[in-house]
């Protein structure tokens, strides 16, 4: 008997409850799912030494990875069974530095979800609610099941 195809929100719920592991990149970067709802998600990541550049601030790639993750998680909340997605482009505007031991919170929100594409925007803030980065992306919605990946 084939397993029931899962909607994106169901997959996130399993991750949030610890019944499914975080994606490998989230494990590597120390990114955790904080909360989510229809069309939005919140992730957190503590900046550690391995995320920093020569100046001791979070490397742009670490910030962009957190941004890409939260935008994807927000889109996942809208995916029906049999739908997956891939990022087509990612834009990151860096606005403030983040030092090691800073807990960053990323919030992503689906702005437009069509049948085959979606546009998502987000923010990354520090514990003082300073805006560290603004992120946005366009994603392509594809066919497939979570069990196949």
């Amino acid at each position: 008997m084939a397993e029931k195809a899962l909607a994106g929100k169901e997959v996130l719920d399993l991750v949030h409850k610890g019944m499914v592991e975080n994606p490998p990149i989230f494990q590597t970067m120390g990114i955790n799912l904080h909360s989510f709802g229809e069309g939005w998600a919140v992730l957190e990541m503590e900046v550690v030494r391995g995320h920093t550049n020569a100046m001791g601030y979070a490397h742009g790639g670490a910030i962009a990875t957190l941004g890409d993750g939260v935008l994807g998680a927000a889109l996942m909340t809208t995916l029906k069974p049999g739908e997956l997605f891939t990022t087509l482009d990612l834009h990151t505007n860096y606005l403030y530095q983040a030092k090691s031991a800073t807990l960053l919170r990323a919030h992503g929100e689906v702005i437009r979800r069509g049948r085959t594409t979606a546009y998502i925007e987000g923010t990354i803030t520090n514990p003082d609610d300073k805006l560290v980065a603004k992120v946005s992306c366009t994603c392509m919605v594809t066919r497939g099941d979570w069990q196949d990946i």
Side-chain angles (χ1 to χ4, degrees):
M1 181 170 145
E3 290 186 41
K4 173 186 168 257
L6 298 175
K9 200 188 284 190
E10 292 173 303
V11 173
L12 285 177
D13 193 46
L14 291 172
V15 170
H16 197 247
K17 291 177 179 174
M19 298 170 71
V20 171
E21 286 187 342
N22 268 332
I25 189 63
F26 282 22
Q27 293 175 37
T28 298
M29 299 296 294
I31 297 171
N32 292 300
L33 177 62
H34 180 272
S35 55
F36 63 94
E38 187 66 33
W40 64 271
V42 176
L43 301 179
E44 292 183 333
M45 178 184 81
E46 182 173 348
V47 177
V48 298
R49 187 176 187 282
H51 296 149
T52 60
N53 58 27
M55 295 171 285
Y57 297 123
H59 185 275
I63 301 292
T65 299
L66 176 60
D68 187 43
V70 78
L71 299 174
L75 179 57
M76 278 182 67
T77 68
T78 72
L79 297 179
K80 299 176 181 88
E83 290 183 326
L84 300 175
F85 74 95
T86 189
T87 302
L88 295 174
D89 65 24
L90 174 67
H91 299 276
T92 307
N93 293 316
Y94 304 97
L95 303 168
Y96 192 74
Q97 75 277 4
K99 294 182 179 183
S100 192
T102 300
L103 182 66
L104 298 178
R105 180 171 279 186
H107 180 271
E109 182 178 352
V110 176
I111 303 301
R112 183 186 183 284
R113 164 67 206 270
R115 186 177 54 81
T116 59
T117 60
Y119 177 74
I120 308 100
E121 292 182 342
T123 58
I124 300 173
T125 56
N126 70 14
D128 297 326
D129 280 332
K130 275 204 168 183
L131 189 58
V132 172
K134 296 262 306 170
V135 292
S136 63
C137 74
T138 305
C139 291
M140 178 173 59
V141 178
T142 61
R143 302 297 308 158
D145 290 323
W146 295 100
Q147 294 89 338
D148 297 338
I149 57 174

